[in-house]
Amino acid sequence: MAHAEHEAGGAGGVSRRAALWGGVAVAAVSAAVLPGGTSQAAEGAPQGGWIDVTAAPYGAKGDNATDDGTALQAAFDACPEGGTVYLPPGIYKTKQTLHIRRRNITVRGAHAGRWPYATQAPSCVKPFYGSFTGAALIRIQDREETGLAYDIEGVRLVDLAFNGVFQPGPLDGLSASGLVRDLVLDRCSFWQFDGHAVRTARYIRSDGSRAFPKGWRLNEVTAWATRGTYDGFRLEHLTDAQLTDCLAGECHTGFYHVAPGDVTYASCRSVWNREHGYHLDTYSDGIIYNGCSTDRNGRDGWHLTARGAANRPVLLSGCYARRDGRTDTSAAGLRVLGATDAPHPPVVVSGFVATTGVDDGGQGTLSPAYGLRVTASKPVVVAAGFLEGTSAGLFKDGSVVNADASVLTQTARP
């Protein structure tokens, strides 16, 4: 079957010039990157640390035809601390993984659409279909993996789109492992990956110590349309993080978080995923879902499977689960699932709403079966909520659920 790339804006042939951006003059850049990650600025160093990837000596085209991977990588490696690599409007193809090996730098585009399947993406990076080599489009690694003398920290990716064009994978959009600290993703979009859109993982160093990403801030980040069992946000061992107004849709699970510590989700949305909207797994050292929502996910809206006595409580405040469970007759808006020998930690739920529904246009099966279902958990406390399911609004399943009088439960019938 022939492959058809799904383009998302950024027409080729955009005129290029050395320009003023935000009142900062753009100048040509050249730097020699030395072993150990140090750099030596050469003549033509950027004024204010600003690098335009389309200017000399880099010369990226952004024309949706040229392999710009070498030019982009050279710009990333040349950027000094506190500097910015700028991708003007265009579609930048690459045949190789782009590595970020500099700390405290910004990589900035012009704009990335919130709903990538429907809006344009003026500054877009994507793999050269069929000729790409690598397991991620953007890769950030622990210092021990790269041989650098320092940890990668303080990186910002702003107003950028990453289109995987369903390059045969596994191919992640952004992959970070080990101690990658204080990374900011701001108004970025990732879609059409045959891999996880955004992925973090811990790295075990040679001395046995465990290094993992921490201190991340994700703001208005979209993960859309991953294939197979690949998630939108696959966040393993990411701690001390805040996700604000992020969107996941048409992925396996929208937000899959393994062993979080001091993590807050605020106003995030997870819709039409094949599995769950949000999945908390393995362990919890503190996670908050505040003002988050789901809609028409295949199974549970929230699927909580943290286990063990040392876990801290999970908090959901002002969250809304809508029409989840379209492919699972036992699904719930909120599912708390422990084990007999490893009960789920306490869950505190305030102002939670779960409602039933069918597909847009009236098709599909009415779901979910339960507004809230709890199995093998320590006490779950529910205040001021509305729980609706086709089988029951609340199903305790042998667990203790302390629901006050302000919680309304309702069984919906077709």
Side-chain angles (χ1 to χ4, degrees), residues 39-408:
S39 67
Q40 175 180 318
E43 292 183 8
Q47 297 178 8
W50 185 272
I51 298 176
D52 182 338
V53 299
T54 66
Y58 309 104
K61 302 300 183 183
D63 59 4
N64 197 27
T66 304
D67 178 11
D68 287 324
T70 300
L72 295 178
Q73 189 63 66
F76 292 175
D77 289 342
C79 190
E81 286 200 45
T84 297
V85 177
Y86 176 52
L87 281 65
I91 298 179
Y92 300 85
K93 283 188 170 182
T94 176
K95 293 183 180 181
Q96 64 191 48
T97 294
L98 300 174
H99 295 269
I100 295 180
R101 297 183 281 244
R102 306 292 293 161
R103 60 187 178 188
N104 299 318
I105 67 169
T106 297
V107 181
R108 176 182 291 276
H111 180 76
R114 171 69 162 176
W115 301 88
Y117 66 88
T119 57
Q120 299 298 302
S123 294
C124 183
V125 179
K126 66 182 185 181
F128 216 112
Y129 188 85
S131 301
F132 183 87
T133 301
L137 189 53
I138 301 289
R139 186 83 170 94
I140 312 176
Q141 294 172 279
D142 188 78
R143 69 169 186 260
E144 187 172 283
E145 294 180 89
T146 60
L148 294 172
Y150 54 80
D151 298 311
I152 299 299
E153 56 189 4
V155 172
R156 277 90 174 105
L157 301 179
V158 182
D159 288 328
L160 286 165
F162 301 92
N163 181 0
V165 297
F166 291 131
Q167 160 72 26
L171 175 66
D172 298 330
L174 168 68
S175 176
S177 56
L179 184 52
V180 177
R181 184 166 43 206
D182 186 27
L183 181 139
V184 173
L185 295 178
D186 191 12
R187 303 186 303 275
C188 291
S189 296
F190 299 82
W191 81 105
Q192 296 186 148
F193 281 94
D194 192 4
H196 305 297
V198 177
R199 183 181 188 181
T200 67
R202 71 180 179 184
Y203 176 79
I204 300 178
R205 293 176 174 171
S206 57
D207 63 1
S209 62
R210 298 177 179 180
F212 44 86
K214 62 176 61 177
W216 285 29
R217 286 169 287 165
L218 281 67
N219 178 54
E220 296 183 32
V221 179
T222 295
W224 199 269
T226 61
R227 277 185 169 171
T229 58
Y230 295 110
D231 303 320
F233 297 84
R234 178 80 180 199
L235 307 177
E236 299 182 29
H237 306 278
L238 174 66
T239 66
D240 303 290
Q242 293 81 44
L243 292 85
T244 304
D245 197 15
C246 294
L247 170 67
E250 296 187 9
C251 303
H252 186 244
T253 286
F255 298 84
Y256 190 113
H257 210 134
V258 177
D262 194 10
V263 171
T264 298
Y265 287 78
S267 302
C268 294
R269 182 165 168 77
S270 194
V271 300
W272 286 90
N273 296 289
R274 295 179 292 279
E275 189 81 349
H276 309 299
Y278 303 85
H279 187 175
L280 164 64
D281 198 15
T282 306
Y283 178 81
S284 172
D285 192 19
I287 187 167
I288 300 169
Y289 298 99
N290 185 23
C292 297
S293 64
T294 68
D295 188 18
R296 208 59 176 150
N297 294 287
R299 298 186 63 194
D300 301 324
W302 273 264
H303 187 75
L304 310 184
T305 56
R307 307 274 174 93
N311 282 293
R312 270 64 174 183
V314 177
L315 173 62
L316 287 88
S317 177
C319 294
Y320 205 121
R322 183 168 177 256
R323 308 188 299 175
D324 296 308
R326 60 189 169 87
T327 62
D328 183 351
T329 57
S330 63
L334 170 58
R335 179 79 163 104
V336 183
L337 178 60
T340 302
D341 59 346
H344 195 280
V347 180
V348 178
V349 184
S350 176
F352 183 79
V353 174
T355 62
T356 60
V358 296
D359 293 353
D360 297 342
Q363 296 81 25
T365 303
L366 185 69
S367 61
Y370 308 101
L372 168 62
R373 182 177 181 181
V374 183
T375 304
S377 176
K378 293 185 176 181
V380 174
V381 179
V382 187
F386 179 88
L387 305 175
E388 181 182 70
T390 58
S391 296
L394 171 61
F395 184 29
K396 300 180 182 181
D397 212 4
S399 295
V400 175
V401 178
N402 297 321
D404 67 25
S406 64
V407 178
L408 303 178

Side-chain angles (χ1 to χ4, degrees), residues 25-48:
V26 178
V29 180
S30 178
V33 180
L34 305 177
T38 60
S39 67
Q40 175 180 318
E43 292 183 8
Q47 297 178 8

